[in-house]
Every structure is written in structure tokens, then in C-alpha cells.
Amino acid sequence: MLQNFQREERSMDWPAYWYIDDCNRNVKFTRTYTLNRQTEFQVFARGKGYVDINGSKYPLNQRTTCQPGKNIVTIFIGNPTDLPAIYIQGDVICSNDGWQASNFVDRLPAGYDPLFTRPDQDPNMIKYQTILVQHQKKVTKNNGVLFDFGRAVNGSLHIQTRIAKSITLCYGESETEALDVKNCYYKQENVDRHSSIRKRAFRYVFVPDVSLNDVEVTAVHEYIPKKNNSKFETDNQLINQIWNVSVETLNLCSDVFFIDGIKRDRWIWAGDALQANLMNQYSFFDEEIDKRTLLALRGQDDIKQHINTIVDYSMLWAIGILNHYEMTADLKFLEVIYPKMQKMVDYLIKQTNDNGFIYGRRNDWIFVDWSKMDKQGTVAAEQLFLLQTYRAIITCGQALGKSVDQYQNKFTVLQQHLEHYFWDEDQGAFIDSYESGKHHITRHANILAIIFDLVNDRKKRLILKNVLLNDQITQITTPYFKFFEQDALCQMGEYRAVYQTILDYWGGMLRKGAVTFWEEYDPSQTGAQIYEMYGDPYGKSLCHAWGASPIYLIGRHFIGLVPTKPGYETFKVTPHLDNFDQLHCILPIKNGEVMVDKVDNQLTVTATRDGGVIEISDKMYPLNKDVPVSITVQ
């Protein structure tokens, strides 16, 4: 709730416009201990309540004693205004991952988070760390002073003035925006040294109607520390810069949750979150951010509308659970999230017709992408998302020993009907909609058919020829679907073309002065129009999570690192590095890392992991955390 209420636009607060669940207000935490000796513990609480030990009640915030033998410890907490939470301090009885929580209807493993490790911390408030960022340039411009901090800042400002009058702060992700006093997205007027300055995202700050020595501004950037577990260096400085800017973009958009962008929405969107998780897998490998995001997107068990009101985002949320499980093999989290996943998939099934096709209802948003598409009736891209959703719940359900026959049957029927109704053999591609009769083709459904491996090799080759390599099919301009498109091209072996696209498309943003990657980029646009979106002259986010696609494309396809069993119990490395003469890359895996070095024509792969097996050139090598495996191939 706190995250989705942070948006600000032109001095107005803008809460997220979809339904948002509140937390449970009345909770009991329970755990059974069998003790060999007497032990003490103390419960610190955010809320009102008491401790119960085998039916006897004790106050909070005091030392409580448990005797040897079986002890059922239950802590009742209610909080009418904030999140009910406890911190248990003791040698044996303490806060850890063994507690159960109940809202008196359902019972699940209690939530906990490594961001909170002390009894004095309040989980109703996120404690950010801060660094001071000095401006790199300070110049007189347009009868005012322009500050350039040289990077994207997500934070507040310290102001010093040498004049009696108040000043105006005009913020901008671009210089053009900051200098536009009338239309800039963020502006704060009547500011003096005592004013409270709100947290905002910016690179530039313009102060109109002052002289160079009248004012000084320092930025205070806020962040939650996380380790970048990746490294990528080659003999091509442009691709190095693209990697580094991608990591910076993802880092800024992933503090507590994966959010879309730091300036405009600051909301948690399921489509952005799926791609952020895939990129995170090859950079920070931060499991906690992903878990927090998946839980926050879904909310309570009862479903009142699609996630973010978007039908495809409900499906991408479920697909994200599959990716998290394949990345981490975290069965404990899967046990918590699976019931919510099952209810979501059943909710989707209720929205399908006799052919198994999902359709949009009143107040539903069939998004797919910001591209013109024939959306009359049922849409092909949505059916492909639904197929992958069925695959996700089948795989996750099987991992937990659940019955998944109903979903397997739905998958089979839908796949058959998809090809019958949406595949156009004459055009060798999927059409957007069969109900309109237009037989219009866009890239989106065809891309999804490849990346989800939902058609045979013959149809993949036809899609490659007739759609992906066909300049007559409308080009994709958002990094969001550019991600999927380049993924599909790599899967079809078009590495050289993807490499060039990374240089041209993401390199094009760098040539426009980008320090982070954007929500959308159209190379044909010039001047101030490159910042326009949604009918707003500065509506485009210039630091957007889905813009960091090169992390995934390079890690997954060019380095070729792929888990073949959940949690990297087995994984393979299949490099495609013809575009590089010199390369040094380190990528994270669960419980280890993989290092790839290329010098001229010699390639060395070094892997360290606590157990497991790595596959290189069709050969299997067992791993030991104390003895790295290093293989050199020509």
C-alpha cells in the first residue's frame, strides 16, 4: 500500500487506480517447541495483544519463561492502523522462518523479511540508506541556474540560498524537462531553507530567476543496499556501457519491490515485475525482492479484479512464480504462493469461452503492448500468455505434489484451438484476431509462440521469416516487448542481429544522453518529442525497469547460462560469443557463480556451487563449493 501511494504528478498525489488489499488487522502467530531445558524469550510488538503458553496468558514486552517439555507458543496481535508485527528475542524461541500465522480463517507460514532484523525497527516504515550526490555541472541558463547531477537520483534536496526571497525548484529527468518551468512533471514553489523537500526522481534541477551564486543544491539519494553479483567486461566499450546502464536502471527500480520507474508511477506492475525478475536472475540474484513483489501484486486470497486491471498481467504474475521457482527451487515460498496462484488461474478459467479462449470483460484492460493491434474479440497474444500460465501452474503444482490434470487438459484443448483459429497458413504466422476477419498480423503473438516454445520447428521458421525478419510488419518501439522479441530471435539463432539491435537500440538511447534506459524509444523521434508519452510532454519514464533487457539477453543467450533443474541443481552454459574477441563475465547462480572468459579463440568456463552439475559442450561436470570446476574449450 505504501509503495502504490507514492506517485506524484504536478503537485498532485496520485494513488494507484486499481483495487488494493489492506493487511490483516488481527493475527495470531504460533509455534510448537519441545524443550530440553527452561528458556526465556521476549516479544516486541507493533500492536496490542498477549503471549499464550499452553493456555496461560502473559503480557507483551516482558521476559517470559518456558519450562522443559512440549510448549505451544501463541502470540495474539491486533493493530487497527498499521501492520501487526512481532519480533521475538531469545536463544531458542525467537523470530525465524518456523512460525505459522493465522487470520483466524487461513493458516500459512508467517511472513518475515531480512530488511527487518532488530526489535526497534518498524515494518510499517521502510528505512532507506542515503548518500549525498553533488552536482557535476552548475550553469546559468534561461535567466536561472541549472544543476546537472550526472545520474538519476531518487531522493530529496538540501537547499542553501543567499537571497531573501523564496525560490522555485523545477525537476527533470532531462535538461529539456527541467528548463520547462510551466510543464515540468515535478515542481515545488515558494521554497526556502526551512521548506520540506519531497522525495522525487530527477537528474536535473532548474531554479529560475536567480543568479549563479544565489543558490546551492545537494541531492540526497535514497536506496536499499543490495549486492550486484554480476560483472561484464569486453573489448567493446559500447556494449560494456549498455550492460552497466542496464544494471543501474534495474538497481534504481528495485529497492523494496520491482517498480516500473522511479519518476512517474513508482507502482508495482506485473508485466514490469516479470521482466525485472528475469534480469535480476543475471545480476543481483535478489530472491527477497522477487518474493515481496509477487506477494504485493496478488494481495489477499479473494480476487476482485485482474492485477493492475490488466488481463495479461494476471497471467504474467503466475508465469513469474514459475520463473522464481526455477531460479530458486524455494518450495517454502511456493507453498505460500501456490494457493493464491491456483485461485488466480481458476479466476482466469472462468473468463474463457467454449474454445478455451480468454477474453476481456467490462473494465478489463487487454494490454499486450503499446502497439496498434486488432483486438476485436479474443486476441491471439492473450491465448499464448494463458498457455504459459497453464504450464506454470502445472510445473509448480507437480513440484508440490498437487493434482494438475485439469490444467493439463485445459492446456491441450487451448493449444489445439489456438492453431486452428489463429494460425494463418497462407501468411505463415498467427493473426491478432480471427473474429474481425481482417487477418491482421503483428509481432506479439508470434514472438510469444517462440519464446514459450508453443509451436513446432516448421512454424517457428515461418514466423522468423514472415514476421520477425519482415520489415513490413510494424516494428516494436517499447523496450518491454523488445525484450520478448530479442529473446525470440536469440532462440532462433539470430545472435548477430540481436547483438546489433542492442548496439543500435539501447546504444541509441545512450547517444541521446541517457544515463538510465527508457520506457519507450523511437529512433525516428527528435527534439522534445522523444520525452512525450500518454499525451504528456514529459510522460515518458527515462528510468524504467523493462528498459534493462540487455542484462537478460546477454546472460541468458550470449553467455548461455540456463538452469535445467530448479535452483540450478543442474545447469548448462552454451556461449555464443562470436561478436567478442575479449570477454570476462561473472554471473550469479543459486549458491554459487559462473565465470566465463574469452581470450581470442580460447574460452574458459569456471563454476563454483555447493553441489550440482554443470553441462558444457554436452559433458557433465559435478560441482563442489570448495573446488571450482574450470573447463577450457576452443
Side-chain angles (χ1 to χ4, degrees):
M1 290 181 66
L2 294 174
Q3 183 67 55
N4 284 327
F5 281 66
Q6 284 192 12
R7 183 171 175 176
E8 173 197 4
E9 179 178 329
R10 296 185 173 85
S11 301
M12 296 180 293
D13 288 308
W14 188 344
Y17 55 76
W18 50 81
Y19 177 84
I20 297 175
D21 278 321
D22 198 356
C23 61
N24 290 298
R25 295 295 182 183
N26 196 24
V27 181
K28 66 176 179 179
F29 300 93
T30 305
R31 186 167 181 181
T32 300
Y33 289 89
T34 301
L35 303 174
N36 296 322
R37 57 180 175 82
Q38 177 180 298
T39 189
E40 290 186 342
F41 66 97
Q42 187 172 0
V43 178
F44 302 87
R46 296 288 171 178
K48 301 177 180 181
Y50 59 90
V51 179
D52 182 294
I53 303 173
N54 298 330
S56 298
K57 298 179 176 61
Y58 303 90
L60 299 170
N61 302 311
Q62 73 174 31
R63 301 296 296 180
T64 305
T65 302
C66 268
Q67 300 301 323
K70 183 178 178 180
N71 289 270
I72 300 173
V73 181
T74 305
I75 304 166
F76 293 82
I77 297 294
N79 193 326
T81 57
D82 290 319
L83 176 73
I86 58 173
Y87 183 94
I88 311 164
Q89 193 171 65
D91 294 333
V92 179
I93 299 174
C94 59
S95 292
N96 53 30
D97 63 353
W99 288 79
Q100 294 283 308
S102 171
N103 61 358
F104 303 94
V105 177
D106 301 308
R107 178 170 168 168
L108 287 168
Y112 68 98
D113 196 284
L115 288 178
F116 302 96
T117 58
R118 303 189 316 270
D120 61 308
Q121 289 179 288
D122 182 358
N124 296 283
M125 299 179 63
I126 305 300
K127 179 64 176 178
Y128 293 93
Q129 294 195 23
T130 61
I131 56 171
L132 294 180
V133 182
Q134 304 295 337
H135 54 77
Q136 293 188 2
K137 294 181 182 178
K138 177 184 178 183
V139 296
T140 300
K141 209 155 195 175
N142 295 4
N143 195 35
V145 177
L146 178 69
F147 297 86
D148 176 5
F149 292 91
R151 57 156 296 176
V153 175
N154 191 17
S156 58
L157 295 171
H158 285 168
I159 308 296
Q160 292 180 317
T161 62
R162 299 181 180 89
I163 52 178
K165 69 175 183 178
S166 61
I167 61 172
T168 296
L169 302 173
C170 302
Y171 298 80
E173 287 189 299
S174 65
E175 179 178 332
T176 302
E177 179 185 10
L179 292 172
D180 191 338
V181 176
K182 179 181 178 181
N183 296 309
C184 60
Y185 205 84
Y186 292 148
K187 178 167 60 177
Q188 187 166 342
E189 299 176 304
N190 301 315
V191 174
D192 59 31
R193 67 186 62 189
H194 304 294
S195 298
S196 175
I197 308 297
R198 183 169 176 168
K199 179 179 180 179
R200 298 180 172 102
F202 55 92
R203 173 181 170 178
Y204 298 90
V205 174
F206 178 62
V207 184
D209 303 319
V210 297
S211 299
L212 194 64
N213 295 322
D214 289 344
V215 63
E216 190 58 56
V217 175
T218 302
V220 184
H221 176 68
E222 297 184 1
Y223 68 101
I224 291 176
K226 52 185 173 295
K227 181 182 179 182
N228 177 16
N229 294 294
S230 68
K231 191 173 186 178
F232 184 76
E233 297 174 343
T234 77
D235 51 332
N236 185 320
Q237 293 307 310
L238 178 56
I239 199 90
N240 295 348
Q241 187 181 5
I242 290 170
W243 174 275
N244 292 333
V245 171
S246 296
V247 171
E248 173 71 354
T249 303
L250 180 62
N251 183 29
L252 287 164
C253 295
S254 54
D255 275 342
V256 182
F257 308 99
F258 294 129
I259 60 172
D260 64 330
I262 59 173
K263 185 189 86 168
R264 196 192 60 238
D265 292 5
R266 306 182 192 175
W267 292 340
I268 313 169
W269 295 87
D272 307 64
L274 173 69
Q275 292 193 358
N277 171 248
L278 290 166
M279 301 165 202
N280 170 62
Q281 186 171 341
Y282 292 95
S283 52
F284 299 100
F285 211 92
D286 191 316
E287 299 180 36
E288 298 302 324
I289 294 175
D290 196 43
K291 288 192 288 187
R292 285 194 292 266
T293 303
L294 288 167
L295 288 168
L297 280 165
R298 179 62 174 80
Q300 304 285 14
D301 277 359
D302 293 338
I303 302 172
K304 296 179 174 61
Q305 66 178 191
H306 283 290
I307 292 175
N308 310 128
T309 75
I310 302 175
V311 176
D312 27 310
Y313 276 23
S314 289
M315 295 184 279
L316 287 172
W317 173 81
I319 294 167
I321 295 170
L322 172 62
N323 188 72
H324 180 83
Y325 171 63
E326 291 178 336
M327 169 184 166
T328 66
D330 187 345
L331 285 172
K332 286 186 178 180
F333 178 70
L334 196 57
E335 288 173 358
V336 171
I337 201 77
Y338 186 81
K340 297 177 181 291
M341 183 186 193
Q342 189 171 29
K343 288 185 178 181
M344 175 57 76
V345 175
D346 291 346
Y347 182 77
L348 292 164
I349 289 172
K350 291 178 182 178
Q351 199 170 330
T352 57
N353 61 21
D354 291 342
N355 288 320
F357 296 149
I358 195 163
Y359 55 87
R361 299 176 297 192
R362 184 184 178 190
N363 297 323
D364 285 343
W365 183 2
I366 301 292
F367 171 54
V368 185
D369 187 28
W370 294 116
S371 292
K372 290 183 179 180
M373 184 181 301
D374 181 2
K375 294 183 179 179
Q376 183 173 329
T378 55
V379 178
E382 299 291 298
Q383 317 317 318
L384 288 149
F385 281 133
L386 183 56
L387 281 169
Q388 187 66 5
T389 300
Y390 288 145
R391 183 178 283 161
I393 196 166
I394 290 167
T395 303
C396 294
Q398 288 172 336
L400 295 173
K402 307 289 186 181
S403 174
V404 294
D405 290 347
Q406 61 168 321
Y407 303 118
Q408 186 62 63
N409 292 337
K410 294 285 185 184
F411 178 93
T412 302
V413 170
L414 177 57
Q415 188 172 34
Q416 292 171 348
H417 287 164
L418 171 78
E419 298 212 19
H420 178 74
Y421 285 94
F422 288 98
W423 178 260
D424 187 320
E425 186 64 31
D426 292 335
Q427 299 189 77
F430 286 103
I431 57 175
D432 292 339
S433 167
Y434 68 91
E435 295 181 51
S436 70
K438 297 176 183 178
H439 284 234
H440 183 257
I441 293 175
T442 54
R443 296 173 180 266
H444 303 76
N446 295 283
I447 289 168
L448 298 176
I450 290 176
I451 65 172
F452 294 149
D453 193 24
L454 291 168
V455 290
N456 60 34
D457 289 344
R458 183 185 74 86
K459 288 183 176 177
K460 287 180 182 178
R461 289 192 296 271
L462 287 172
I463 289 171
L464 178 65
K465 174 186 174 184
N466 298 321
V467 181
L468 300 187
L469 300 181
N470 183 356
D471 291 339
Q472 300 305 308
I473 303 295
T474 302
Q475 296 293 325
I476 289 169
T477 60
T478 60
Y480 174 56
F481 236 87
K482 210 76 170 176
F483 175 105
F484 295 128
E485 180 186 46
Q486 302 310 300
D487 188 359
L489 284 167
C490 283
Q491 291 194 34
M492 296 303 295
E494 297 291 323
Y495 300 103
R496 189 170 296 277
V498 172
Y499 181 77
Q500 193 59 50
T501 296
I502 293 174
L503 295 181
D504 293 343
Y505 187 80
W506 281 271
M509 284 185 262
L510 295 179
R511 287 186 286 274
K512 299 284 188 182
V515 292
T516 51
F517 287 130
W518 304 352
E519 180 178 14
E520 186 226 28
Y521 172 58
D522 184 344
S524 67
Q525 292 180 338
T526 59
Q529 71 176 148
I530 67 175
Y531 308 119
E532 187 275 334
M533 203 170 179
Y534 310 112
D536 187 307
Y538 306 107
K540 184 180 298 181
S541 166
L542 301 191
C543 178
H544 212 81
W546 71 35
S549 306
I551 297 171
Y552 173 79
L553 297 173
I554 291 170
R556 168 64 177 81
H557 293 294
F558 287 91
I559 301 300
L561 175 60
V562 183
T564 50
K565 285 187 179 180
Y568 292 82
E569 179 185 347
T570 66
F571 60 97
K572 64 181 179 180
V573 179
T574 311
H576 297 93
L577 301 176
D578 291 345
N579 295 291
F580 307 99
D581 292 326
Q582 315 285 328
L583 178 142
H584 173 65
C585 179
I586 299 174
L587 295 178
I589 58 175
K590 179 76 173 185
N591 299 325
E593 66 178 27
V594 172
M595 182 166 64
V596 176
D597 289 286
K598 182 181 180 184
V599 180
D600 299 325
N601 291 321
Q602 182 170 288
L603 182 70
T604 302
V605 179
T606 305
T608 304
R609 187 184 185 276
D610 186 9
V613 175
I614 180 174
E615 176 186 341
I616 301 173
S617 301
D618 299 324
K619 293 183 180 180
M620 314 296 285
Y621 301 87
L623 295 171
N624 184 301
K625 66 177 181 179
D626 299 319
V627 184
V629 170
S630 186
I631 303 102
T632 300
V633 295
Q634 295 297 319

